[in-house]
Amino acid sequence: MEKTDRYISFDGIACDEHARRIVLSIRECIGDAARPSPWQSYFETKLIESERRGHDELYFVGSQVNAIRELFEQYGREEALDLLERVEEECC
């Protein structure tokens, strides 16, 4: 598999799709009423603010990487953590 290089081109890197999947995972975590977390209200607020400002999901993910990582670690979302790392490496 050919390694992509974000500094040459975003061609071949599904950054928007990856960001969309990360946001879906965030929404799943914060919607888990059985496992309350302080991150729930934080991300509810941040997602609303981001949408109101017209930011896309990739912008949101890039600006919240550390908080997203902590959320996914708390919920044991290994696949989402791997995807977050990939987005951080290839897209941010």
Side-chain angles (χ1 to χ4, degrees):
M1 182 172 151
E2 186 176 321
K3 183 165 172 60
T4 55
D5 186 339
R6 67 181 175 195
Y7 296 108
I8 294 172
S9 169
F10 283 101
D11 188 38
I13 306 174
C15 295
D16 291 331
E17 175 60 21
H18 295 331
R20 185 191 67 75
R21 289 178 46 211
I22 289 170
V23 170
L24 284 174
S25 292
I26 292 169
R27 291 185 188 280
E28 289 172 3
C29 290
I30 66 175
D32 187 351
R35 295 182 61 198
S37 161
W39 289 113
Q40 288 171 323
S41 62
Y42 175 83
F43 277 111
E44 287 168 357
T45 300
K46 291 298 182 183
L47 285 165
I48 290 168
E49 288 174 358
S50 183
E51 289 170 8
R52 188 179 68 237
R53 292 179 179 147
H55 296 155
D56 63 21
E57 292 166 323
L58 183 57
Y59 180 91
F60 177 79
V61 170
S63 65
Q64 298 291 325
V65 168
N66 291 328
I68 295 169
R69 183 176 291 113
E70 288 190 39
L71 176 76
F72 289 164
E73 286 173 352
Q74 180 180 1
Y75 282 87
R77 294 294 195 99
E78 293 303 320
E79 184 177 320
L81 279 165
D82 292 343
L83 185 58
L84 180 63
E85 183 177 327
R86 183 173 179 187
V87 167
E88 186 177 18
E89 178 70 26
E90 294 180 353
C91 306
C92 294

